[in-house]
Amino acid sequence: MSIIKAPRGTRDIWGEEIYLWHKLEEVVRLLASSFQYQEIRTPIFESTELFARGVGEATDIVQKEMYTFPDKGGRSLTLRPEGTAPVMRAYLEHGLNITNPRVKWFYMGPMFRYERPQAGRMRQFHQFGFEAIGYSQPACDAEIILIAWLVSKKLGLENLSLEINSLGCNQCREEYIKVLQDFLGKEGKNLCANCRTRAEKNPLRVLDCKEETCQEVFRSSAFPVVQDFLCGECERHQETLEEILRELDIPFSLNPYLVRGLDYYTRTAFEVKTGELGAQDAIAGGGRYDNLSSALGGPPVPGVGFAAGMERIILLMSKKYEPSSLAEQPLFYLAPLDIPGEGALLQLASSLGERAIPFYLEFADKGIKYHLRKAQKMGVGTVIMAGGEEGEKGEFIWKDMSSGEQRSMSKEELLARLGEERRSAEDS
Ligand code: HAM
């Protein structure tokens, strides 16, 4: 019988890589607490309708990429492909638009999209996201971009660029889409087959196409760009955001082709890109979604946010950090010499655990040679042994791995010594 493997597009996160995840999660939580974004945990699956209405029927996500299934009660459920629609659902469901209309939330967790897997593109992947709901100010767009930028900065990621665009409001976008659709209609023969279909169903998505023939169409001087269609208010919103970003010293470029893969965006859209991951170059993306609440049956509520792909950030971190350097090293290796020694060391483990002192406990089925070799391999400075003759006297053996010295000590002496070692490890 062959062994069972993890499904295509999913993977186990384990071994030393986990230290990179802990570091990333720590930085996200630190920033969330600094900016006072509260954590929200929404369900892994939601009604399919939430994404159909929220993300948009005509998007690739809804058309091709969702893990949708009926449950035993005949309801259509979908593993969440993203976090913004669920967060807005929670906001409306809990009546926050009435009781507490301005909320700042963050989340972290797995998302699911049926995509063709490759480096940095998974079927189960992880995002962290920040959402500010109830805020319409361009300064709030800037706060969101600042957080995305600071995460990268705190992780020391380099070679990143920020691209921004405005997709306008309902009015100016409608006008733009009409002109764009007209233009694409005339250029039909020069577009790829995919774009010819998109031009009818979801014309903005055409701008995402990487095919050279389509790119040529976009480069033509007659190609209509959304910036030329922004109404006065959308233009002011965009200018204010740009001004604040310049004041914050966050470098950005305007990309009029940046449309994003979800239908809920209005005005600001942005992406943080890396030059180090090939085709999967977006490590974070977001923007304003002033229509999302209404699309979900709620009143008009503005909102802005972003989500970042954690696997992609981990790939960048793995080029920069030695994962083991992020691990917490055990200070002590506990080596029982016999069965009574196991009991004595478990009592010691209980005291160490209560004090949250890191240690590694082995068992007496292995001999002293094994223990010392393993302690050395782990880079542990002190081995504490229990059992044998010393054990009968209620004593432990303390072995300093660097000098090789060892001596017996009582439990009281040992506990006092452990505290000293802990303090000196913290000071160093
Ligand atoms: P998104 O651009 O679809 O936006 O995803 C955000 C980030 O998730 C991407 O930039 C990428 O880093 C990562 N990502 C997406 N798909 C995959 C995948 N298959 N494998 C690995 N990483 C992936 C959203 O999801 C919006 N909810 C962002 C947002 C929040 N907008 C406003 N608020």
Side-chain angles (χ1 to χ4, degrees), residues 82 84 113 115 120 122 127 131 260 264-265 282-283 305 309:
E82 62 101 47
T84 312
R113 295 184 195 175
E115 293 199 81
M122 308 284 298
Q127 284 184 343
E131 314 282 357
R260 316 253 319 114
Y264 47 60
Y265 291 109
I283 61 160

Side-chain angles (χ1 to χ4, degrees), residues 38-142:
Q38 303 293 327
E39 183 172 4
I40 175 163
R41 300 185 186 190
T42 61
I44 298 285
F45 58 81
E46 297 267 5
S47 308
T48 302
E49 200 188 348
L50 173 65
F51 302 109
R53 276 163 53 182
V55 174
E57 283 283 9
T59 58
D60 280 357
I61 293 181
V62 172
Q63 290 282 312
K64 305 182 199 160
E65 295 171 3
M66 295 208 303
Y67 280 90
T68 296
F69 56 95
D71 73 0
K72 292 196 194 306
R75 302 167 195 89
S76 179
L77 300 175
T78 292
L79 299 185
R80 61 180 187 193
E82 62 101 47
T84 312
V87 160
M88 185 58 92
R89 193 254 323 122
Y91 175 92
L92 295 172
E93 184 171 339
H94 302 300
L96 291 172
N97 51 309
I98 297 157
T99 57
N100 181 24
R102 291 179 163 199
V103 298
K104 292 182 175 182
W105 274 334
F106 88 98
Y107 51 87
M108 241 189 295
M111 307 289 161
F112 306 85
R113 295 184 195 175
Y114 190 78
E115 293 199 81
R116 202 162 47 77
Q118 50 184 272
R121 191 159 79 190
M122 308 284 298
R123 290 182 173 168
Q124 174 176 320
F125 60 100
H126 297 76
Q127 284 184 343
F128 67 82
F130 285 73
E131 314 282 357
I133 304 182
Y135 295 88
S136 56
Q137 306 75 357
C140 194
D141 305 21

